[in-house]
Amino acid sequence: MAAACCAALAAAGSVLLPNTSAYNQTQASYWSLQESSLSPSCFAQPQTAQQAANLITILTSHQACSTTDFAIKCQTHAPAAGFANIAGGVTIDITGLNSISVSEDHSIAYVGAGNSWLDVYAYLDPYNKSVAGGRNGAVGVGGLTIGGGISYFSPQVGWTCDTVQNFEVVLASGELVNANATSNPDLYRALKGGKNNFGLVTRFDFATVDITRILGGNLVNDIADRAAVFAAFADFTTAPDYDVHASWVLSTIFNATSKAWTLLNVPVYTLPDTRPLVYEQLYAVPNISDNLALTELHVLANQTATPPLNWGMGTATYGVSTAFLNEIFDIVNATIYDFNLPGGVAWSIAFEPLPTVFLAPGAGKNVLGTTPADGNQMIFLTSPFWTDSSADAEVHAKTEEILTKVNAAAEKAGLLRQFEYANYADYSQQPFEGYGQSNLEFLLQTSKQYDPNGMFQKRVPGGFKLPGGQWW
Ligand SMILES: Cc1cc2nc3c(=O)[nH]c(=O)nc-3n(C[C@H](O)[C@H](O)[C@H](O)COP(=O)(O)OP(=O)(O)OC[C@H]3O[C@@H](n4cnc5c(N)ncnc54)[C@H](O)[C@@H]3O)c2cc1C
Ligand SMILES: *[C@@H]1O[C@H](CO)[C@@H](O)[C@H](O)[C@H]1NC(C)=O
Ligand SMILES: *[C@@H]1O[C@H](CO)[C@@H](O)[C@H](O)[C@H]1NC(C)=O
Ligand SMILES: *[C@@H]1O[C@H](CO)[C@@H](O)[C@H](O)[C@H]1NC(C)=O
Ligand SMILES: *[C@@H]1O[C@H](CO)[C@@H](O)[C@H](O)[C@H]1NC(C)=O
Ligand SMILES: *[C@@H]1O[C@H](CO)[C@@H](O)[C@H](O)[C@H]1NC(C)=O
Ligand SMILES: *[C@@H]1O[C@H](CO)[C@@H](O)[C@H](O)[C@H]1NC(C)=O
Ligand SMILES: *[C@@H]1O[C@H](CO)[C@@H](O)[C@H](O)[C@H]1NC(C)=O
């Protein structure tokens, strides 16, 4: 049946069939082995929004497609199996939706949903403009934006989704519509965090920000000095006058083969300042290496690609204290220290500031449920990577063990928060539950309105679905 559907879809543009080099290449382009191990009956590759709309129309209404489920694939950085690929169904690969342009006054960037952030930054840097997008340039505009989006500019302008002025989106009916503050305002809000539950987004119109050169790079400390780094991070994240140009990803990385921990900071400042005061406490800690330098965003975001690996994710949000950061480190170390696999496994355990200034622009305007009233927080992200695909279940169990133990410690310390960032969540988590009851109800009601047959609930099984979305 899926083969007949693929044949029908060929009427709406390029379709790649198994055992062709183009199909193999697209399948191999997934970031995680878990995703590239799934074989769809075909990849459909729209090159225009209209072609994407025609594809959805055929999937919705053509007899040959009535039992064929599908997935939406952008730049594949959601690692979980089936989030952007589907065994035996149709995978719509939107990376051909890669137009980029800017309004005459350079205040709005019109960005095809299939772009990588790298291409967007390379386009905008010459204008001294940027958008508040992902930090690693290989990540997709599509997936990141509809799940929130953490940018170097987020303390200044909020989540990436908060900067969207207009979504161009294909609804389940196949209709191509705009969603913005005045047209389809419910859909506009639902797409700011609602992931792939409302339609296939073909274009984002982003408000731009000013940029010239920024201070970026890595600063590596000895793990033995972690307490001083954690103290600096806690003070930075809870500063009463948070500097909106400053961000900091603090990662502790464990190699289960060498048993070595690495402490890697990525402190990025969005102005051309070579020694921002805001990092003085961090800089005062003795470092092992430092390549911080003024650079352009499209250079900083152009990171070396990783080899094919299995990847996991898992996340939580916590209140901030130095003591708790130290406690998290000890819990994680005790949980993973003696765990290894043939071929090895490594864990990145990362902390990212979520200060109140970051949450202010979008409070009540997106569906994430995050507001300055939550106080200064930090996002916790655990991501394991390993080569042995037969060990996926074991690594997943360890990920769950880390989250369970650290969440329990957080609860005890009064630091557990309900938000779980969907773009960092493990497939077993329920990030929409953390958006809060009224946002959940709003999402369900908006789904009923724009997708009355629940197509994006039932026939797009990949990614996080709306809890209670079984209303059809
Ligand atoms: C190395 C790395 C770096 C990262 N850096 C950041 C960062 O700096 N900031 C941050 O916030 N997050 C970051 N993330 C997390 C990232 O936001 C998510 O992994 C995101 O889902 C990736 O989007 P994608 O388009 O690349 O992935 P995909 O796997 O292609 O898509 C992810 C999900 O979104 C859906 N989707 C994608 N596009 C559309 C669309 N146009 N319409 C409807 N549904 C769509 C897919 O169906 C899928 O379920 C990072 C992840 C990795 C692995
Ligand atoms: C595509 O990949 C399959 C499975 O790995 C392989 O058998 C086939 O030869 C490849 N075909 C082409 C044309 O590359
Ligand atoms: C961008 O900023 C740099 C540094 O301030 C300046 O030299 C250059 O002329 C600017 N370019 C544009 C297009 O404004
Ligand atoms: C909102 O959508 C309407 C209807 O398509 C469109 O005319 C208008 O230009 C859009 N507004 C923005 C800000 O894009
Ligand atoms: C982990 O350490 C081992 C042994 O030193 C090394 O061979 C391997 O490359 C390291 N793995 C990673 C991911 O750094
Ligand atoms: C890192 O250490 C070196 C050597 O002590 C020092 O010169 C450099 O300024 C430090 N880096 C930062 C960002 O403070
Ligand atoms: C990214 O880096 C690679 C390797 O240095 C280079 O070939 C490529 O042109 C760069 N891409 C962009 C958009 O700058
Ligand atoms: C991690 O745990 C192991 C085993 O208990 C211990 O030997 C080691 O010192 C710990 N590492 C750090 C950096 O605390």
Side-chain angles (χ1 to χ4, degrees), residues 287-310:
N287 70 75
I288 291 175
S289 68
D290 148 24
N291 65 3
L292 301 178
L294 292 184
T295 180
E296 289 180 278
L297 182 52
H298 76 278
V299 176
L300 185 65
N302 194 352
Q303 298 180 15
T304 314
T306 49
L309 288 163
N310 294 286

Side-chain angles (χ1 to χ4, degrees), residues 59-102:
L59 283 161
T60 307
S61 49
H62 197 291
Q63 183 58 34
C65 293
S66 59
T67 60
T68 304
D69 290 347
F70 64 102
I72 301 165
K73 166 191 173 294
C74 184
Q75 298 282 346
T76 77
H77 278 70
F83 272 44
N85 201 2
I86 185 165
V90 170
T91 295
I92 304 179
D93 172 9
I94 65 163
T95 54
L97 303 179
N98 60 358
S99 61
I100 311 174
S101 61
V102 67

Side-chain angles (χ1 to χ4, degrees), residues 253-260 309 343-347 385:
I253 301 157
F254 184 64
N255 179 329
T257 304
S258 65
K259 303 292 178 201
L309 288 163
V345 57
W347 297 81
F385 48 101

Side-chain angles (χ1 to χ4, degrees), residues 4 52 73 77 79 88 107 115 120 136 151 164 168 189-190 250 275-276 290 298 302 311-312 320 414 445-446 451 471:
K73 166 191 173 294
H77 278 70
S107 67
N115 276 293
V120 178
N136 181 321
S151 163
V164 176
E168 183 191 69
R189 180 160 169 246
L250 192 177
R275 209 164 170 96
D290 148 24
H298 76 278
N302 194 352
W311 288 91
V320 187
Q445 177 202 317
T446 307
D451 182 12
W471 43 263

Side-chain angles (χ1 to χ4, degrees), residues 145 160-167 179 188 192 204-207:
T145 306
T160 301
C161 65
D162 298 333
T163 71
V164 176
Q165 307 301 299
N166 180 59
F167 299 88
Y188 178 57
K192 298 180 184 183
F204 299 90
D205 301 343
F206 293 107

Side-chain angles (χ1 to χ4, degrees), residues 125-128 211-212:
D125 272 344
Y127 293 96
N128 289 342
I211 193 172
T212 55

Side-chain angles (χ1 to χ4, degrees), residues 2-3 40 81 153 164 177 203 213 228 263 335 338 380 382 384 396 413 448:
F153 289 97
V164 176
V177 302
R203 197 188 74 223
R213 291 191 302 162
L263 201 175
T335 308
D338 290 321
F380 175 72
T382 165
H396 186 250
K448 282 184 201 167

